[in-house]
Amino acid sequence: MLLKTSLRTFLAHKGRMVLSLLAIVLSVAFVSGTLVFSNTATSTFDRLFASTASDISVQPAKAGIDGDDDAPGGKVATLPVDTVQRIAATPGVRTAVGQVFTQDAVLVDPATNKAIGPTSGAPTLTGNWTETPRNSVEITSGHTPQGADQVVLDADTAKKAGLGLGGKLRVIAGSGKHDFTIAGIATFKTTNPGAALAFLDTVTAQQVLLGTTAYTSVEAFGDGTRTDEQLKADALGALGGGYQVKTAAEQKAENNKDVGSFLGFMKNAMLGFALISALVGGFLIINTFSMLVAQRTREIGLLRAIGGSRKQVNRSVLIEALILAVLGSTIGLGAGLGLAAGLIQLMKAIGMNLSAADLQITADVPIAGYALGIVVTLVAAWFPARRAARIAPMAALRDHGTPAEGRSNLVRTVIGLVLTAGGGGLLVLAAKADKAATGGQYLGLGVLLTLIGFVVLGPLLATSVVRVLGALLPALFGPSGKLAQRNAMRNPRRTGATAGALMIGLALVIGASVFTSSVIKSTNEQIDTSVGADYIISAGRTGLTPEMVKAAENTPGIEHITRQQFVPALFTTPDGKTAKEGVSAVSPSFTADFKLPVKSGSADALGQGAIVVGESYAADHGLKVGDRIGIDYGKGRTQSLPVGVILTKGNSLFDGNYFIGLDTLGKAVPVADQGSDAVVFGKARPGSDVAGTLTALESSFKEYPQVTVRDQAGYKDLVQEQVNSLLYIIYGMLGLAIVVAVLGVVNTLALSVVERTREIGLLRAIGLSRRQLRRMIRLESVVIALFGAILGTGLGLAWGITGQRVLKDQGLETLAVPTGTIVVTLVASVVIGLVAALVPAFRAGRMNVLAAIATD
């Protein structure tokens, strides 16, 4: 009986639940689509790695420090050529193949002098062509490289670059520039993970990429008589020390770890924003059921009068919510498949070729989708259901069924004030915290409590804030303005919930904007204060070869060049602690090109064999000038250096960095074993044309398209572009929550029009025109949207400013409040209010006056 009543009631009011249904659909679609995409990508790469991994892979021993695979100075570690014969002779090995692969070569189209292949994310792999039982690619046109002037290019890279058989391809490696003719096109057998692949013959690959006759690995395939673990043990026994051997399972796990870090970050970020949109959707559902309960007051009274209990009324509303949740979640799961397919197309655009025809819908997808949709909906509907159950039968029949809220308002006020005050106190503690980690914990909890506090206080703030916001409406718009103000204040609980949904999205937008603006301004000020070099020259992940550095030094107008290398090392401090760190080895002119924020010591010590450390590192290990730090670069290359300078913390250009001289590094690591320079700084000659020298520098690197040259202004623009890219991603993700919030405003107005049908009819009867009526509804919508925007702006500013204070000692020393963004947000809120009111206002204006008055 109860189920039948709930179902009939749901169907009778189905039109009024459409927007709540849409909110559920969007949230569930985002979650399920993210999970399907993640599962599909993971499954695709699993198959790729499983189908291409050799039974055992023999690689050079970990050449780096502390278990690191990187060789000192970034050099590529190699194996002797006789390793192939030694592995081939191991029992159980059917075939062994020597491979050469590096990631530090750049592929260039000589016709356009532009680099081809990915610029970030997946690598550019250049190596030798080998025939193995599990090749990841196959030649689909042309043939394998058969001479020192031939190369094979993967099909995806060739297509993007507009290259084909017979075309020219330049490979820029540590050994210089080498031109080849494209002899073949290779296509991936499973999927292209986004990498660019170029294959040379083995002898040429060794000369061009390694500069020596050696291999980077030996891939072995068994004959089936031994397991991979047995093959590994036999290989280690045959080779002795100086090698590492990985089974197929270990290779797969290692590759999955690399890909999984990117996919995991993307998955968690999208799920986080989906939960935010689900939270916003909860406000919409609360409003929907609250208004439906209010509109069915007499119906509920009749149900109670004929014997229905409070529990049955409560269950009736919750069953309606459950029906809505199941329906919305089911549609959302279907929409999620479409979203996953869209994400796959997006990945294709950046080079990761996944197949939408192979979507992986595992059990976690429907479980997570239905769990989210049902839990959020039932929790949101529980509050209106509880209020519905408290309606007294006779009061409901007299159409005065809304319970008195005096006591509940008092409780709400106390709880809201306690939460907000507690959250505010935590934000203050976060801003004053000595350590960023402690401040971050306070900040996270403070954000949560202030958000909940504002949500709880929303209905109480609505009356006073809306009264202020709408104060000018009567004077500007006459009766329409006065009615709009009063309508927005009529039901504070409803107005607070509607505005609260918008508040959450806008608070996160403002908070992120304050943080990123502070990052940009702080970095720019630090560049102005600390950087004396005129030019910053870099070549991405490939680094700058000696040939490139020489080109910079020989550029007319350049006074000197400052080199900087990054070298992995293991530090041992006097307190007995060891940790892996990265050392920046720099030229003697570094102290001339950079103003070091010295706390103690002398900057001149850098050129006298000392090490420069930061204030935080010195404090953590009790270091002072003169104390010695042991440094291990791997392969038994060690040195003990005195601390010559301790830098003041709070400058992001130097925080976390450790500086030594290149001459000091050379005493432990021979120059021949040092890697490429990570970055080079140029100083213009006094009196020279800085802009003209910049142009000359760019001309010096015209044959190296991977090299970028920036002046200080260009470097600032780069920082801003990088920060803004992150900000735009956040804006895009939060867009879903804001869309759901806008649906909430539309939903509230639409149901409010239905609820006030008779009132609207009476207003029309006493002379209110259709135009005035539509204006009234639009103004009411704008006031509600502005209310949410003001609350969101206040919260966002508090969060963003506190975040800047927490990271003040980490380089975020300057606060920047993006007034432009705030103004745009407030203007956008007015637009949101106007757009949200379009359909409700149109429907209200079309009402038949007599029919509206006769509505019961």
Side-chain angles (χ1 to χ4, degrees):
M1 177 67 180
L2 185 62
L3 177 61
K4 186 182 294 185
T5 301
S6 300
L7 186 59
R8 286 180 175 176
T9 304
F10 178 85
L11 294 175
H13 300 96
K14 58 182 179 297
R16 304 180 190 181
M17 294 189 178
V18 170
L19 294 180
S20 295
L21 180 73
L22 186 56
I24 299 170
V25 169
L26 290 175
S27 299
V28 172
F30 214 64
V31 169
S32 59
T34 299
L35 292 176
V36 170
F37 167 75
S38 176
N39 293 341
T40 302
T42 301
S43 174
T44 300
F45 285 113
D46 280 346
R47 291 197 303 273
L48 171 66
F49 299 145
S51 64
T52 59
S54 57
D55 292 331
I56 58 170
S57 176
V58 181
Q59 301 169 11
K62 295 181 184 294
I65 45 88
D66 196 26
D68 194 337
D69 283 334
D70 295 331
K75 287 287 186 179
V76 178
T78 59
L79 298 170
V81 292
D82 66 352
T83 308
V84 175
Q85 289 72 35
R86 295 168 66 185
I87 292 297
T90 304
V93 172
R94 175 162 54 99
T95 183
V97 178
Q99 287 195 340
V100 176
F101 267 109
T102 66
Q103 298 185 27
D104 57 1
V106 178
L107 306 181
V108 178
D109 180 358
T112 62
N113 199 39
K114 291 183 178 180
I116 63 175
T119 56
S120 61
T124 294
L125 299 175
T126 310
N128 64 325
W129 178 269
T130 57
E131 295 290 348
T132 72
R134 299 175 196 157
N135 267 6
S136 60
V137 294
E138 59 184 350
I139 301 291
T140 50
S141 62
H143 54 77
T144 61
Q146 297 173 356
D149 62 343
Q150 294 185 358
V151 66
V152 169
L153 188 63
D154 77 272
D156 294 320
T157 302
K159 182 179 179 181
K160 290 178 182 177
L163 297 173
L165 293 178
K168 298 297 182 181
L169 183 69
R170 178 173 298 156
V171 177
I172 301 178
S175 58
K177 302 184 292 291
H178 307 271
D179 287 345
F180 299 92
T181 299
I182 299 175
I185 300 295
T187 302
F188 278 83
K189 293 180 179 179
T190 52
T191 186
N192 181 355
L197 296 183
F199 301 93
L200 312 173
D201 66 39
T202 298
V203 173
T204 305
Q206 290 171 332
Q207 293 174 348
V208 170
L209 303 175
L210 304 180
T212 183
T213 303
Y215 297 113
T216 55
S217 72
V218 173
E219 309 300 325
F221 302 85
D223 59 12
T225 61
R226 282 174 166 78
T227 65
D228 290 354
E229 291 293 343
Q230 289 173 328
L231 287 175
K232 175 180 178 178
D234 292 343
L236 287 172
L239 294 172
Y243 300 86
Q244 56 176 329
V245 180
K246 298 177 181 178
T247 63
E250 290 170 337
Q251 296 173 61
K252 179 182 173 183
E254 185 177 30
N255 290 327
N256 279 336
K257 182 180 178 181
D258 295 336
V259 175
S261 59
F262 165 72
L263 293 177
F265 171 78
M266 184 175 177
K267 173 182 175 181
N268 292 334
M270 293 180 67
L271 288 178
F273 286 108
L275 293 178
I276 291 173
S277 66
L279 174 63
V280 172
F283 288 96
L284 194 162
I285 296 167
I286 289 174
N287 262 3
T288 298
F289 280 93
S290 294
M291 298 176 78
L292 288 177
V293 166
Q295 293 168 21
R296 290 160 46 197
T297 298
R298 182 167 292 183
E299 175 189 325
I300 292 172
L302 286 172
L303 183 62
R304 291 293 311 281
I306 62 174
S309 66
R310 286 189 175 187
K311 184 178 293 187
Q312 287 176 314
V313 171
N314 188 300
R315 286 180 181 174
S316 174
V317 176
L318 289 179
I319 288 175
E320 291 179 48
L322 180 61
I323 296 170
L324 179 71
V326 172
L327 181 60
S329 299
T330 303
I331 298 173
L333 286 172
L337 298 181
L339 177 62
L343 289 172
I344 287 174
Q345 294 302 318
L346 178 62
M347 290 297 103
K348 280 187 176 182
I350 63 175
M352 186 183 293
N353 291 334
L354 304 176
S355 175
D358 193 26
L359 295 179
Q360 298 295 307
I361 309 171
T362 53
D364 63 328
V365 175
I367 290 174
Y370 279 112
L372 176 71
I374 291 174
V375 170
V376 169
T377 305
L378 290 182
V379 170
W382 180 82
F383 298 98
R386 181 171 170 269
R387 288 198 295 273
R390 293 167 57 193
I391 297 177
M394 298 311 296
L397 292 175
R398 291 196 301 269
D399 209 15
H400 297 293
T402 303
E405 295 189 0
R407 178 180 175 82
S408 64
N409 281 344
L410 178 61
V411 173
R412 176 186 289 269
T413 301
V414 173
I415 293 176
L417 288 175
V418 169
L419 289 172
T420 304
L426 286 170
L427 292 181
V428 172
L429 290 175
K432 295 181 177 180
D434 293 330
K435 293 186 177 181
T438 304
Q441 294 173 349
Y442 287 146
L443 174 61
L445 189 55
V447 166
L448 180 62
L449 291 184
T450 50
L451 176 59
I452 298 173
F454 265 61
V455 168
V456 174
L457 287 176
L460 305 176
L461 294 171
T463 302
S464 56
V465 176
V466 169
R467 179 178 286 110
V468 174
L469 289 176
L472 293 177
L473 294 183
L476 294 175
F477 301 102
S480 297
K482 190 170 185 178
L483 289 169
Q485 182 192 32
R486 290 185 175 182
N487 286 336
M489 294 167 53
R490 177 186 295 184
N491 193 324
R493 188 190 296 270
R494 181 186 305 166
T495 300
T498 306
L502 196 57
M503 174 191 73
I504 295 173
L506 296 182
L508 292 170
V509 166
I510 295 296
S513 298
V514 171
F515 180 80
T516 53
S517 296
S518 299
V519 169
I520 293 170
K521 187 172 182 179
S522 298
T523 303
N524 287 346
E525 289 183 354
Q526 289 163 8
I527 292 173
D528 291 336
T529 303
S530 303
V531 180
D534 296 305
Y535 313 105
I536 298 95
I537 307 166
S538 61
R541 54 188 165 198
T542 61
L544 293 147
T545 63
E547 188 178 10
M548 297 174 187
V549 175
K550 187 175 181 179
E553 290 174 334
N554 293 335
T555 300
I558 291 293
E559 180 184 35
H560 67 256
I561 289 294
T562 298
R563 299 165 51 207
Q564 183 173 4
Q565 290 185 13
F566 294 112
V567 185
L570 189 69
F571 283 15
T572 301
T573 47
D575 57 5
K577 295 180 180 179
T578 60
K580 180 181 175 183
E581 305 289 353
V583 178
S584 292
V586 295
S587 304
S589 56
F590 183 78
T591 53
D593 287 342
F594 289 87
K595 183 180 179 181
L596 299 180
V598 177
K599 181 178 179 64
S600 59
S602 171
D604 295 336
L606 179 61
Q608 299 169 1
I611 184 171
V612 178
V613 302
E615 179 182 356
S616 297
Y617 185 81
D620 291 341
H621 298 281
L623 295 173
K624 60 183 182 298
V625 172
D627 291 343
R628 303 189 76 85
I629 297 177
I631 304 179
D632 182 358
Y633 301 104
K635 284 193 172 181
R637 294 162 173 167
T638 63
Q639 59 185 178
S640 176
L641 301 179
V643 175
V645 183
I646 296 177
L647 302 179
T648 304
K649 63 182 178 181
N651 190 311
S652 59
L653 299 178
F654 304 109
D655 284 348
N657 290 316
Y658 310 88
F659 298 97
I660 62 173
L662 278 168
D663 293 340
T664 303
L665 175 67
K667 294 177 181 178
V669 181
V671 174
D673 290 340
Q674 294 176 16
S676 302
D677 293 335
V679 63
V680 165
F681 305 95
K683 182 69 175 177
R685 288 197 186 102
S688 65
D689 181 5
V690 176
T693 304
L694 174 64
T695 303
L697 266 175
E698 291 171 339
S699 298
S700 297
F701 292 108
K702 63 182 180 181
E703 294 184 354
Y704 304 100
Q706 74 272 35
V707 176
T708 58
V709 183
R710 295 181 177 88
D711 56 11
Q712 288 194 21
Y715 188 67
K716 291 177 183 178
D717 291 340
L718 175 64
V719 172
Q720 185 163 346
E721 289 171 6
Q722 292 173 338
V723 173
N724 284 343
S725 297
L726 174 62
L727 187 61
Y728 295 150
I729 292 174
I730 294 174
Y731 285 171
M733 295 294 190
L734 288 175
L736 177 63
I738 294 175
V739 167
V740 174
V742 172
L743 293 178
V745 179
V746 176
N747 186 66
T748 298
L749 292 173
L751 291 180
S752 178
V753 167
V754 174
E755 185 179 64
R756 302 189 324 237
T757 298
R758 188 173 188 180
E759 175 188 322
I760 290 172
L762 289 171
L763 288 172
R764 292 278 286 115
I766 63 175
L768 193 71
S769 67
R770 287 185 176 180
R771 183 177 181 182
Q772 288 175 314
L773 177 62
R774 288 194 292 265
R775 181 183 295 164
M776 176 190 76
I777 293 173
R778 288 196 297 268
L779 291 175
E780 180 183 351
S781 177
V782 168
V783 168
I784 292 173
L786 273 176
F787 173 49
I790 289 173
L791 294 184
T793 300
L795 272 182
L797 285 173
W799 297 346
I801 291 171
T802 304
Q804 182 269 327
R805 300 301 299 175
V806 168
L807 296 176
K808 183 179 180 181
D809 291 337
Q810 309 300 312
L812 204 66
E813 56 186 8
T814 304
L815 173 66
V817 176
T819 53
T821 301
I822 294 174
V823 170
V824 169
T825 299
L826 294 176
V827 172
S829 300
V830 174
V831 175
I832 286 172
L834 291 173
V835 172
L838 287 177
V839 175
F842 178 75
R843 291 183 61 187
R846 289 175 56 87
M847 281 186 184
N848 181 282
V849 177
L850 294 179
I853 295 174
T855 300
D856 187 7

